Amino acid sequence: YSDVYVIDREAVRPGNTVWVLDEKDTLAIVPFTFLVRDQDHVVAKGLEPDTRLVLSHLSNPLAGMALQPLPFRD
């Protein structure tokens, strides 16, 4: 599959969604299909290759709210 990715389980939100940072640096709530999951990871289908996952806890997440991205680190 070309659109299957392994993501950290902590990125999974209720309703089989993930929070992503869109091109305007605002929050988007995106549904996905999980194929397999274990204690730490989920194999997800339906995400784009350049998806920027939001792993931070947000107390009141609203689609469209502005977020400040952190620099990517390996």
Side-chain angles (χ1 to χ4, degrees):
Y1 299 103
S2 61
D3 64 342
V4 173
Y5 301 94
V6 177
I7 60 173
D8 287 342
R9 191 169 181 135
E10 69 182 275
V12 177
R13 308 299 177 173
N16 288 338
T17 60
V18 290
W19 296 342
V20 302
L21 195 60
D22 67 15
E23 65 281 347
K24 296 178 185 176
D25 290 340
T26 59
L27 179 68
I29 300 171
V30 177
F32 72 95
T33 301
F34 75 87
L35 302 175
V36 178
R37 63 178 149 192
D38 66 18
Q39 185 175 355
D40 299 317
H41 301 93
V42 173
V43 178
K45 180 174 174 39
L47 301 175
E48 297 296 322
D50 58 346
T51 298
R52 298 184 293 167
L53 295 173
V54 176
L55 301 179
S56 300
H57 173 72
L58 303 173
S59 57
N60 293 310
L62 297 172
M65 68 188 292
L67 298 175
Q68 178 65 43
L70 295 175
F72 178 76
R73 292 189 209 179
D74 267 332

